[in-house]
Amino acid sequence: MTSPNPQSAIGIFDSGLGGLTVAGAVHRAFPHEAICYLGDTARVPYGAKSPETVQRYAREDIAFLLQQGVKVIVAACNTVSAAALPELANHYPVPVLGVVEMGVETALESSPRRIGVIGTQTTVGSEAYVRAIHRRVPDVSVIQKACPLFVPLIEEGWTDHAVTRAVIQEYLSPMRDSGVDGLILGCTHYPLIRALLGEFFGSAVRMTDSAEAMVRALRQSFDRGELPRAEGNHARCSRYYVTDRSNRFEQLVTAFMGEDDLQVQQIRPDELAMTLEKDPR
Amino acid sequence: MTSPNPQSAIGIFDSGLGGLTVAGAVHRAFPHEAICYLGDTARVPYGAKSPETVQRYAREDIAFLLQQGVKVIVAACNTVSAAALPELANHYPVPVLGVVEMGVETALESSPRRIGVIGTQTTVGSEAYVRAIHRRVPDVSVIQKACPLFVPLIEEGWTDHAVTRAVIQEYLSPMRDSGVDGLILGCTHYPLIRALLGEFFGSAVRMTDSAEAMVRALRQSFDRGELPRAEGNHARCSRYYVTDRSNRFEQLVTAFMGEDDLQVQQIRPDELAMTLEKDPR
């Protein structure tokens, strides 16, 4: 790895717009850093697709961010982190941080005895969280549950709705009854129903989401000198790219990012593939 | 248009596996016809994507089926039929039938005074059903509602579940209370909750789904001699292609098609794009 340019942007990618919860948190924590975000909205969601397809899409997403000259790559997408990162992370000239490893480090800080993990089908099916937890603490008990209806419910805007409460009840009663004391929100959408999950699990269950985990990981990388901070105190120009722009786009950007004046450029997914062809890894 | 080979397959495509409800109905109605099916499962769903992206994907899907030598193309996907077909249908050497036009013809047979249309966001946003109805009967009243949670609920297998009943209630009470006497199920997934919708609307509301509409359209085309029937009485070999095969694949194929021994081949979505480059239209 060559020494990265401090003034380069922090690259963040996700299958869609959910990763804006991570981008928003990173922006608020490090306001002098530029962000270069890619949301693959033309092929979203990744969460019900095969590991092979997720890996191919992830390679294309990373190649695009590298071409933009970023100093670090954040895989905000839990599905990518779970299904593709272990194989991919070491092949690139800049660090690639995944939300799975970072989420587990944060979750284990409170020394839980039984951790619940919720995410997409592909994330849960990969068992990546289970392996990452047991690599650090072999005797902690882990209980997983795929919650495929949470993303569509959140995108419908039903973040405080009786139907969403009923789905939480149906999906997560066995997990709650098993006595978890930690919960990893393994999907970038889930911070938007954090209040409902807190209401359901109660205050004794410590929740960790991908946004806070990634802010913590970047802060450590800066503090340890593994990643150079941007110099100067002026605000930097961030760039946001998507591969499709639907008619509900502005609404979702506002929900996930908390900002409604984001300047977003559109690229085509076949341009991503072309980037990869020029620079295959 | 050149005269098609009677022995060629009926081409059917969809954004994913929902179109198997159409393929299954076509297979049962015309058992001597071969089917060539393409489900673009690597990029599913189309229903929340922009019309431009849906049009590009549809061109690639159609180019692939043409390369397979089909005699007719059925756009089983309502989103494609609504957002892409009006522009695309006349550019091909074989007929391209969309479920919107065919669904409207079937729905209007019972002379409804007020028709409800349910579908994805892009289907409803296109107003294609409204235009197709008013082109035929200008004074029938049409009320639309996008129901984005139905597809994930159906894919979760909750086709007879209290949560699905609650979502139907929330989405469709205004439509029911407005006094519709016809309902178009404008998405290939919805036949799987036809019983619940019937329970909610009551027997006075006549429902039309894409599968029955397409069988009716093909029967007319055969009867009018616009499309040649396959000759002979032996069963033909159908082919099924998808662009991704997730771990829930078999389960979904069985739910939509009613068969669990389907032989399915996987192709990559960039192979679809390459087909289009060789034969651009």
Side-chain angles (χ1 to χ4, degrees):
Chain A
M1 271 186 213
T2 55
S3 183
N5 182 344
Q7 305 309 89
S8 297
I10 295 173
I12 303 178
F13 75 99
D14 183 50
S15 56
L17 301 176
L20 290 174
T21 57
V22 175
V26 169
H27 174 67
R28 287 186 291 275
F30 312 107
H32 304 307
E33 299 287 340
I35 288 170
C36 180
Y37 183 90
L38 170 63
D40 190 9
T41 46
R43 303 187 294 196
V44 73
Y46 289 0
K49 284 159 193 161
S50 69
E52 296 69 32
T53 292
V54 171
Q55 283 159 20
R56 194 171 63 249
Y57 290 171
R59 278 198 301 275
E60 295 178 8
D61 298 337
I62 292 174
F64 176 81
L65 288 179
L66 283 177
Q67 201 190 38
Q68 304 297 311
V70 297
K71 64 182 173 188
V72 59
I73 288 173
V74 172
C77 180
N78 278 270
T79 304
V80 165
S81 302
L85 266 212
E87 287 70 35
L88 285 183
N90 296 324
H91 294 117
Y92 295 103
V94 302
V96 180
L97 307 178
V99 284
V100 171
E101 295 294 327
M102 303 306 138
V104 166
E105 293 215 349
T106 306
L108 288 175
E109 281 205 321
S110 61
S111 305
R113 287 155 306 148
R114 185 185 286 271
I115 303 185
V117 175
I118 57 177
T120 66
Q121 279 151 348
T122 301
T123 297
V124 165
S126 76
E127 305 236 308
Y129 272 106
V130 182
R131 285 195 306 276
I133 291 168
H134 285 158
R135 213 178 308 128
R136 290 167 177 84
V137 186
D139 62 350
V140 69
S141 153
V142 186
I143 174 168
Q144 294 196 108
K145 176 65 184 168
C147 303
L149 285 167
F150 284 175
V151 168
L153 285 165
I154 289 164
E155 298 211 338
E156 185 66 323
W158 291 10
T159 51
D160 181 21
H161 193 288
V163 164
T164 308
R165 285 190 176 83
V167 174
I168 288 174
Q169 179 99 24
E170 170 109 10
Y171 278 154
L172 300 178
S173 290
M175 181 181 285
R176 184 183 59 182
D177 298 347
S178 79
V180 291
D181 52 355
L183 178 68
I184 295 178
L185 312 193
C187 173
T188 51
H189 280 66
Y190 298 175
L192 275 75
I193 54 166
R194 194 171 167 136
L196 261 60
L197 291 167
E199 192 182 279
F200 177 77
F201 278 100
S203 57
V205 176
R206 198 192 170 289
M207 290 188 282
T208 303
D209 72 41
S210 303
E212 65 178 298
M214 198 46 78
V215 166
R216 183 180 168 282
L218 286 169
R219 181 165 289 124
Q220 276 187 353
S221 294
F222 287 137
D223 291 349
R224 292 174 182 162
E226 295 159 2
L227 192 67
R229 286 179 195 272
E231 290 150 14
N233 275 325
H234 55 287
R236 255 155 253 279
C237 185
S238 290
R239 285 160 291 157
Y240 293 83
Y241 299 91
V242 293
T243 50
D244 184 54
R245 185 191 280 266
S246 75
N247 54 2
R248 296 184 64 233
F249 181 78
E250 273 77 21
Q251 193 182 332
L252 290 173
V253 167
T254 307
F256 290 125
M257 185 80 180
E259 286 186 34
D260 56 4
D261 63 344
L262 219 56
Q263 293 300 309
V264 182
Q265 294 174 64
Q266 189 177 337
I267 52 169
R268 293 209 319 262
D270 48 343
E271 295 177 62
L272 293 184
M274 278 185 270
T275 312
L276 185 63
E277 266 167 45
K278 273 186 245 155
D279 187 14
R281 279 168 214 270
Chain B
M1 265 183 222
T2 55
S3 183
N5 182 343
Q7 306 308 90
S8 297
I10 295 173
I12 303 178
F13 75 99
D14 184 50
S15 56
L17 301 176
L20 291 174
T21 56
V22 176
V26 168
H27 174 66
R28 287 185 290 274
F30 313 107
H32 305 306
E33 299 287 341
I35 289 171
C36 179
Y37 184 90
L38 170 64
D40 189 10
T41 45
R43 303 188 293 197
V44 73
Y46 289 1
K49 284 158 193 161
S50 69
E52 296 70 31
T53 292
V54 172
Q55 282 159 22
R56 194 171 63 248
Y57 291 170
R59 278 198 301 273
E60 295 178 8
D61 299 337
I62 292 174
F64 175 81
L65 288 178
L66 283 177
Q67 200 189 37
Q68 303 298 311
V70 297
K71 65 183 172 187
V72 59
I73 288 173
V74 171
C77 180
N78 278 270
T79 304
V80 165
S81 302
L85 267 211
E87 286 71 33
L88 286 184
N90 296 324
H91 295 118
Y92 295 102
V94 303
V96 180
L97 306 178
V99 283
V100 171
E101 295 293 327
M102 303 307 140
V104 165
E105 293 214 349
T106 307
L108 289 174
E109 282 204 321
S110 60
S111 305
R113 286 155 308 148
R114 185 185 286 268
I115 303 185
V117 176
I118 57 178
T120 66
Q121 279 150 348
T122 301
T123 297
V124 165
S126 75
E127 305 235 309
Y129 272 106
V130 182
R131 286 194 305 275
I133 292 167
H134 285 159
R135 214 178 307 125
R136 289 166 176 85
V137 186
D139 63 349
V140 69
S141 152
V142 186
I143 174 168
Q144 294 196 109
K145 175 67 184 167
C147 303
L149 285 167
F150 284 174
V151 168
L153 285 164
I154 290 163
E155 298 212 339
E156 186 65 325
W158 291 11
T159 51
D160 182 20
H161 194 289
V163 164
T164 309
R165 285 190 176 83
V167 174
I168 289 173
Q169 178 100 24
E170 170 108 9
Y171 277 154
L172 299 178
S173 289
M175 181 184 285
R176 183 183 59 181
D177 298 347
S178 79
V180 290
D181 52 355
L183 177 68
I184 295 178
L185 312 192
C187 173
T188 51
H189 279 66
Y190 298 175
L192 274 74
I193 53 167
R194 194 171 167 138
L196 261 60
L197 291 167
E199 192 183 279
F200 177 77
F201 278 99
S203 58
V205 177
R206 199 192 169 288
M207 290 188 283
T208 303
D209 71 42
S210 303
E212 64 178 298
M214 198 46 77
V215 166
R216 183 180 169 282
L218 286 170
R219 181 164 289 126
Q220 277 188 352
S221 294
F222 286 137
D223 290 348
R224 291 175 183 160
E226 295 160 2
L227 192 65
R229 286 179 195 272
E231 290 150 14
N233 276 327
H234 54 285
R236 255 154 251 281
C237 185
S238 290
R239 284 161 291 157
Y240 293 83
Y241 299 91
V242 292
T243 50
D244 183 55
R245 185 191 279 267
S246 75
N247 55 1
R248 295 185 66 235
F249 182 77
E250 273 78 21
Q251 192 183 333
L252 290 172
V253 166
T254 307
F256 290 125
M257 185 79 180
E259 286 187 34
D260 55 4
D261 63 343
L262 218 58
Q263 293 299 311
V264 182
Q265 295 175 62
Q266 189 177 337
I267 51 169
R268 294 211 318 265
D270 48 343
E271 295 178 64
L272 292 185
M274 278 185 272
T275 313
L276 185 63
E277 265 167 43
K278 275 186 245 156
D279 187 15
R281 279 166 214 271

